[in-house]
């Protein structure tokens, strides 16, 4: 009886032991406990990625052509971005269209393919091409005279309401006309020299012509289509005019030495900006292209780091305009600058 009872107790003990081992292995990594999954929230836009690293913004810079004014605007933009974001907070791809609107489109499309965070478009053809290429990526223009003209907007209010904003290089055109009257009150004819392929150049000469004709001048427009016919058109204008006026025109800026070769010491040229005037002009009412480029960089920083809505950002203009003269050209023409003009250094 005792042997049977002992056998029964051993059998029960063995059964309990097997039941305890039959629960299976614990999940890997749980160390026998519950496994809890941690969910990471996505990194906030414009701050850092999921690794905690600081976001480096990528900006595409499209410059229409190389000349003093546009170069200064681009440099101002870069300096402002470095000041606001730090040199390690952003990187840029600077492309030059070499005065070819078709290249502006190629450049803009390449920036869209790279999905850059922002496009800075320097000059009217560059901003037009960028706006055609994307309606999503923020686009800031600079060195654009009149955005309403560039985008065929009647009664332009100053804000585009799209993914485009920026800064303008427009100086008061009525004061530019008055400048010609101030220097040459006895002149009769004014030739307006510009590139017909630049919409903002056409706008400027049309507007200045109205002011000049109101003062009694006879005005004639002389348009070249590209660099190939600048010399021939300029010669025709110089032969038929007492004074020439050149607006803020990129093709003229790229060919200022051609204009100077024809006009130097023979006929005064008044210009829409300092860079052209330094090469072939007598006087200008000009802005600082560096300053408008710098302001464009500040606007970019607001969009990228502060979440500013570009669709509500109005076009901004230069805060001041300066009367300047070219001493070498004045000497060649034997004319003295009126009071209130600064010499171009």
């Amino acid at each position: 009886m005792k042997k049977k009872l002992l056998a029964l107790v051993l059998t029960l003990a063995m059964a309990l032991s097997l039941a305890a081992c039959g629960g299976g292995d614990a999940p890997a990594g749980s160390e026998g406990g519950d496994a809890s999954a941690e969910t990471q929230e996505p990194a906030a836009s414009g701050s850092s990625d999921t690794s905690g690293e600081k976001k480096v913004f990528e900006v595409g810079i499209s410059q229409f052509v190389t000349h003093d004014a546009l170069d200064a605007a681009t440099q101002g933009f870069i300096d402002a971005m470095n000041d606001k974001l730090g040199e390690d907070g952003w990187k840029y791809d600077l492309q030059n269209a070499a005065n070819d609107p078709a290249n502006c489109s190629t450049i803009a499309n390449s920036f869209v393919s790279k999905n850059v965070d922002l496009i800075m478009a320097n000059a009217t053809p560059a901003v037009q091409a960028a706006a055609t290429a994307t309606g999503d990526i923020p686009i800031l223009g600079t060195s654009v005279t009149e955005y309403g003209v560039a985008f065929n907007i009647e009664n332009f209010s100053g804000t585009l309401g799209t993914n485009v904003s920026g800064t303008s290089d427009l100086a008061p055109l009525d004061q530019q006309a008055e400048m010609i009257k101030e220097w040459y009150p006895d002149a009769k004819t004014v030739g307006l020299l510009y590139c017909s392929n630049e919409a903002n150049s056409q706008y400027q000469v049309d507007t200045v012509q109205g002011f000049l004709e109101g003062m009694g001048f006879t005005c004639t427009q002389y348009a070249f289509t590209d660099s190939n016919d600048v010399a021939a058109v300029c010669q025709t204008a110089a032969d038929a005019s007492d004074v020439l006026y050149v607006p803020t025109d990129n093709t003229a800026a790229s060919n200022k030495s051609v204009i100077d070769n024809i006009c130097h010491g023979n006929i005064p040229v008044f210009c829409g900006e300092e860079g052209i005037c330094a090469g072939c002009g007598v006087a200008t009412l000009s802005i600082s292209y560096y300053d408008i480029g710098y302001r464009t960089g500040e606007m970019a920083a607001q969009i990228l780091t502060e979440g500013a809505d570009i669709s509500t950002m109005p076009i901004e203009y230069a805060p001041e305009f300066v009367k300047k003269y070219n001493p070498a050209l004045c000497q060649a023409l034997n004319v003295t600058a009126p009071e209130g003009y600064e010499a171009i250094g």
Side-chain angles (χ1 to χ4, degrees):
M1 182 69 181
K2 288 182 179 180
K3 290 182 178 180
K4 291 182 178 180
L5 181 59
L6 179 59
L8 179 60
V9 170
L10 291 173
T11 300
L12 290 172
M14 185 176 295
L16 289 172
S17 176
L18 290 171
C21 294
D25 294 334
S30 70
E31 296 181 345
D34 293 336
S36 299
E38 293 183 3
T39 303
Q40 291 185 338
E41 295 294 330
S45 175
S47 55
S48 59
D49 59 22
T50 54
S51 67
E53 295 181 357
K54 179 182 177 182
K55 178 177 175 60
V56 177
F57 295 102
E58 186 170 2
V59 175
I61 302 176
S62 175
Q63 182 171 319
F64 181 53
V65 66
T66 298
H67 62 70
D68 293 345
L70 300 192
D71 292 348
T74 293
Q75 189 60 56
F77 178 84
I78 292 170
D79 288 350
M81 290 288 284
N82 286 339
D83 289 345
K84 297 299 181 180
L85 277 67
E87 293 186 15
D88 61 345
W90 74 300
K91 59 183 179 179
Y92 63 89
D93 181 6
L94 172 58
Q95 298 287 331
N96 193 298
N99 205 25
D100 188 342
N103 289 341
C104 289
S105 297
T106 301
I107 292 168
N109 287 326
S110 72
F111 290 157
V112 173
S113 296
K114 292 172 65 176
N115 195 30
V116 298
D117 296 297
L118 183 140
I119 296 172
M120 194 282 268
N122 193 349
T124 301
V127 76
Q128 289 172 325
T132 299
T134 177
D136 300 317
I137 297 174
I139 300 166
L140 287 174
T142 192
S143 312
V144 178
T145 304
E146 175 54 62
Y147 285 77
V149 173
F151 291 100
N152 296 315
I153 302 173
E154 294 185 6
N155 302 317
F156 179 55
S157 65
T159 302
L160 277 77
T162 65
N163 64 319
V164 179
S165 187
T167 57
S168 168
D169 62 358
L170 179 64
L173 296 175
D174 58 340
Q175 294 182 38
Q176 293 188 28
E178 291 170 1
M179 182 174 60
I180 295 174
K181 183 73 171 179
E182 180 182 23
W183 281 71
Y184 288 92
D186 297 328
K188 303 298 182 183
T189 57
V190 178
L192 307 171
L193 185 66
Y194 69 103
C195 179
S196 58
N197 286 326
E198 297 189 34
N200 275 310
S201 295
Q202 185 71 65
Y203 165 78
Q204 290 175 82
V205 297
D206 287 345
T207 304
V208 167
Q209 180 171 345
F211 290 128
L212 288 171
E213 289 178 344
M215 298 174 187
F217 292 102
T218 298
C219 299
T220 304
Q221 296 186 10
Y222 296 92
F224 45 83
T225 57
D226 55 34
S227 296
N228 294 321
D229 59 346
V230 170
V233 174
C234 181
Q235 187 65 65
T236 300
D239 291 342
S241 310
D242 297 325
V243 177
L244 293 185
Y245 170 77
V246 179
T248 56
D249 184 287
N250 291 299
T251 306
S254 299
N255 290 273
K256 57 190 178 185
S257 61
V258 175
I259 298 172
D260 186 55
N261 287 338
I262 294 169
C263 299
H264 191 100
N266 300 315
I267 181 172
V269 181
F270 290 82
C271 307
E273 57 95 358
E274 182 177 342
I276 301 176
C277 190
C280 65
V282 171
T284 181
L285 178 66
S286 190
I287 66 168
S288 167
Y289 277 81
Y290 179 88
D291 287 350
I292 63 170
Y294 193 95
R295 179 56 191 145
T296 309
E298 292 179 324
M299 294 170 73
Q302 291 175 327
I303 293 167
L304 295 173
T305 65
E306 301 175 20
D309 182 1
I310 192 171
S311 68
T312 65
M313 299 176 78
I315 302 301
E316 298 197 23
Y317 296 82
E320 61 181 1
F321 313 97
V322 181
K323 290 181 175 181
K324 293 193 173 184
Y325 74 98
N326 185 329
L329 267 295
C330 288
Q331 183 177 1
L333 290 163
N334 195 27
V335 63
T336 301
E339 292 185 7
Y341 283 78
E342 297 180 8
I344 296 175

